[in-house]
Amino acid sequence: MGEKFQQEGPYLFDKPQNIKRLFGAYYPWLGALLLAEVVVHRHTIFPWEEWPGFYAAFGFVACVALVLAAKYVLRPLVMRKEDYYE
């Protein structure tokens, strides 16, 4: 198993300059999306959908709610003791 890891070459994100390039393209793209949200007309149904940044905030809140639900609701349901299979 150890030999297998030694034979594999370096991965794309093992080099720090590749990570810098990724974020160098990522942040301008996010800024362009924020600017597009102001410029592009959206066909909304509810009035709160017209708030700037509504979908970003909605996605963030939904993600946090999923993490908290997984941690405090689902984990106690599926968690077993360490010696469950013995």
Side-chain angles (χ1 to χ4, degrees):
M1 184 107 179
E3 294 178 16
K4 182 180 179 184
F5 287 116
Q6 291 177 354
Q7 292 176 352
E8 294 179 2
Y11 293 103
L12 179 65
F13 296 116
D14 286 344
K15 296 180 180 179
Q17 68 264 21
N18 289 340
I19 295 172
K20 288 182 181 178
R21 288 180 190 153
L22 177 71
F23 282 111
Y26 181 69
Y27 287 125
W29 182 247
L30 286 177
L33 287 175
L34 285 174
L35 289 175
E37 184 177 313
V38 174
V39 175
V40 175
H41 174 70
R42 291 176 283 170
H43 302 278
T44 61
I45 297 174
F46 301 106
W48 54 81
E49 291 178 290
E50 295 178 5
W51 297 347
F54 169 76
Y55 289 109
F58 180 77
F60 178 75
V61 170
C63 182
V64 169
L66 282 173
V67 169
L68 292 177
K71 183 173 182 178
Y72 294 110
V73 177
L74 298 176
R75 185 171 185 240
L77 290 175
V78 299
M79 189 172 171
R80 300 288 181 248
K81 292 183 179 180
E82 194 170 312
D83 58 348
Y84 179 74
Y85 291 107
E86 293 176 1

